[in-house]
Amino acid sequence: MKHLRIIRVERSEEGIIGVLTIDGKADCLTMQPDERDAHFSIPEGSYLCKRFHGKKYPDTFEILVPGHTALLFHAGNRETDSEGCILLGEEVGELNGKRAVLASGKAFCEFMKKMGSDQEFNLVIEDCI
């Protein structure tokens, strides 16, 4: 089973930026809503993630957080693209004057390739800010 970690390195009213590692190697960047957003922000901790198939996101992973459903990994650029989910990107920048992760579709496709046929993995989320 793979071990993933998100190390959150930047927090602002425009979201939380992190670095995703897979088995100890830096992979891509992440964007999540911050605590001031109307949507849920996943707290620091350890989580099991399982393969998820839905209508909007046919193949991804769900982060199993008690009391919440459909917290997913998916493509998206800005905090407003996430309803508590984790967005993946290749670089940090701005879209329409707001902090964003860019090349998100490519980052998400690469992430899913690396996950291969895995059905679950362990995820640790931690702050370094």
Side-chain angles (χ1 to χ4, degrees):
M1 181 183 306
K2 289 182 176 73
H3 297 276
L4 283 73
R5 181 177 303 270
I6 295 174
I7 303 147
R8 299 192 284 206
V9 297
E10 178 185 313
R11 182 184 310 266
S12 76
E13 62 186 27
E14 296 175 346
I16 302 170
I17 303 276
V19 176
L20 175 71
T21 66
I22 299 176
D23 292 333
K25 295 182 180 179
D27 186 67
C28 65
L29 299 168
T30 64
M31 167 73 81
Q32 298 172 253
D34 72 291
E35 293 81 4
R36 294 167 287 203
D37 190 74
H39 299 292
F40 179 72
S41 180
I42 301 171
E44 283 187 283
S46 297
Y47 302 94
L48 180 63
C49 299
K50 291 192 173 195
R51 183 87 53 171
F52 178 90
H53 303 282
K55 288 183 180 184
K56 188 172 182 179
Y57 301 105
D59 188 25
T60 189
F61 286 90
E62 178 179 17
I63 305 112
L64 303 180
V65 178
H68 298 275
T69 59
L71 294 173
L72 309 174
F73 284 86
H74 63 82
N77 301 108
R78 297 188 334 200
E79 182 181 42
T80 55
D81 297 328
S82 170
E83 295 181 4
C85 298
I86 297 174
L87 310 175
L88 303 178
E90 291 197 343
E91 60 185 281
V92 176
E94 288 190 359
L95 285 174
N96 299 321
K98 298 285 186 182
R99 202 73 168 138
V101 291
L102 306 174
S104 186
K106 182 177 178 189
F108 180 73
C109 286
E110 289 297 317
F111 169 76
M112 291 305 291
K113 281 182 195 174
K114 288 175 185 160
M115 299 315 293
S117 63
D118 292 1
Q119 296 299 303
E120 61 183 40
F121 60 85
N122 292 313
L123 172 67
V124 172
I125 298 176
E126 64 183 320
D127 288 335
C128 99
I129 44 176

